[in-house]
Amino acid sequence: NAALAHYSPSNGSSRTLSAREIYLFDTGGQYLDGTTDITRTVHWSEPTPLQKEAYTRVLMGNIDLSRLVFPSNTAGRTVESFARRALWDVGLNYGHGTGHGIGNFLSVHEWPVGFQSNNVPLEAGMFTSIEPGYYRDGEFGIRIEDIALVVEAQTESEETFLTFEVVSLVPYDRNLIDLSLLSPEQISYLNSYYEKIRERVGPELQRQRLEEEFAWLQESTEP
């Protein structure tokens, strides 16, 4: 069912999950201090070469947009293609928007932030999702969604430039990543991201004495 980007469950479409296929879960919650919206895609067995390449290229697009530096007051639609480029390189694409604004204990999809033509220019302080994907009807769906905060970038320019600070702290599925496709810069970004996850999430898991979860986190965030 994850091959349908905007799937809604029904009694007739429910099915038993298997460890031999891709599993996409789009999850989140609303709390007094903020709203979360995060999607991860996993495979607990042996993914096909296509699944692995598609996932890796979706991840590449997520990374490329997340680490992008761009001038202040840039429209989201101007930079949106960075999330698609790795997929476009091999003739793949996805049929939904690359991201949407995130409300603070408000709407999960909050107007008017995002990457479409009718969204406002990006400014520091905005929260947006970054969520490229790939879907093959009747077979599988892949999406990697993080929430990112628009922040000022550190450059030597006198003008203001912006970038994204990813605030979702959940590892990606190592089983689906083809490292040979990643650039050194993308691998460096992943390692920095994993280090941040360890520093911020690890101590909280230990505080709650969630030993199994802490061990999983350590394993999943190895360089």
Side-chain angles (χ1 to χ4, degrees):
N1 294 324
L4 301 172
H6 299 104
Y7 170 72
S8 296
S10 66
N11 290 335
S13 65
S14 59
R15 54 193 291 273
T16 302
L17 293 173
S18 163
R20 299 184 300 277
E21 59 190 329
I22 275 184
Y23 179 42
L24 184 158
F25 52 101
D26 187 343
T27 184
Q30 291 185 291
Y31 308 92
L32 294 175
D33 53 358
T35 299
T36 66
D37 187 11
I38 184 167
T39 304
R40 287 294 182 264
T41 306
V42 300
H43 198 304
W44 291 299
S45 184
E46 289 295 326
T48 68
L50 172 62
Q51 290 172 339
K52 197 165 185 175
E53 178 174 0
Y55 178 92
T56 304
R57 291 187 178 277
V58 170
L59 177 61
M60 292 164 67
N62 181 294
I63 292 172
D64 287 347
L65 183 54
S66 297
R67 61 187 293 269
L68 185 67
V69 176
F70 52 92
S72 180
N73 209 39
T74 295
R77 67 179 183 275
T78 303
V79 299
E80 193 258 5
S81 60
F82 282 87
R84 299 180 185 265
R85 183 173 58 181
L87 289 164
W88 285 353
D89 282 344
V90 292
L92 304 180
N93 202 7
Y94 54 92
H96 59 73
T98 294
H100 54 79
I102 303 287
N104 180 14
F105 195 51
L106 292 167
S107 176
V108 178
H109 288 209
E110 183 171 277
W111 182 264
V113 180
F115 298 95
Q116 300 187 67
S117 59
N118 55 357
N119 290 129
V120 298
L122 296 166
E123 297 179 15
M126 292 177 171
F127 281 95
T128 181
S129 68
I130 296 177
E131 50 180 301
Y134 176 69
Y135 311 89
R136 182 160 288 228
D137 288 352
E139 295 184 35
F140 62 87
I142 296 168
R143 186 163 65 256
I144 301 174
E145 177 186 21
D146 291 309
I147 294 178
L149 172 64
V150 182
V151 297
E152 287 195 17
Q154 302 301 313
T155 69
E156 297 180 0
S157 173
E158 294 182 357
E159 299 179 18
T160 301
F161 277 72
L162 303 174
T163 189
F164 297 104
E165 177 188 345
V166 173
V167 297
S168 302
L169 300 176
V170 179
Y172 307 117
D173 186 15
R174 306 173 82 92
N175 191 32
L176 281 163
I177 298 175
D178 182 350
L179 279 177
S180 68
L181 294 176
L182 299 182
S183 68
E185 292 79 11
Q186 290 166 337
I187 292 175
S188 176
Y189 174 92
L190 270 182
N191 286 335
S192 296
Y193 178 60
Y194 282 170
E195 185 176 349
K196 181 166 69 171
I197 293 174
R198 281 190 171 191
E199 291 175 352
R200 298 190 183 181
V201 182
E204 178 62 20
L205 294 178
Q206 289 181 305
R207 187 188 69 81
Q208 296 187 33
R209 299 179 180 177
L210 297 172
E211 297 179 2
E212 183 179 351
E213 289 81 355
F214 178 76
W216 174 87
L217 187 78
Q218 294 298 104
E219 180 182 355
S220 300
T221 55
E222 291 179 356

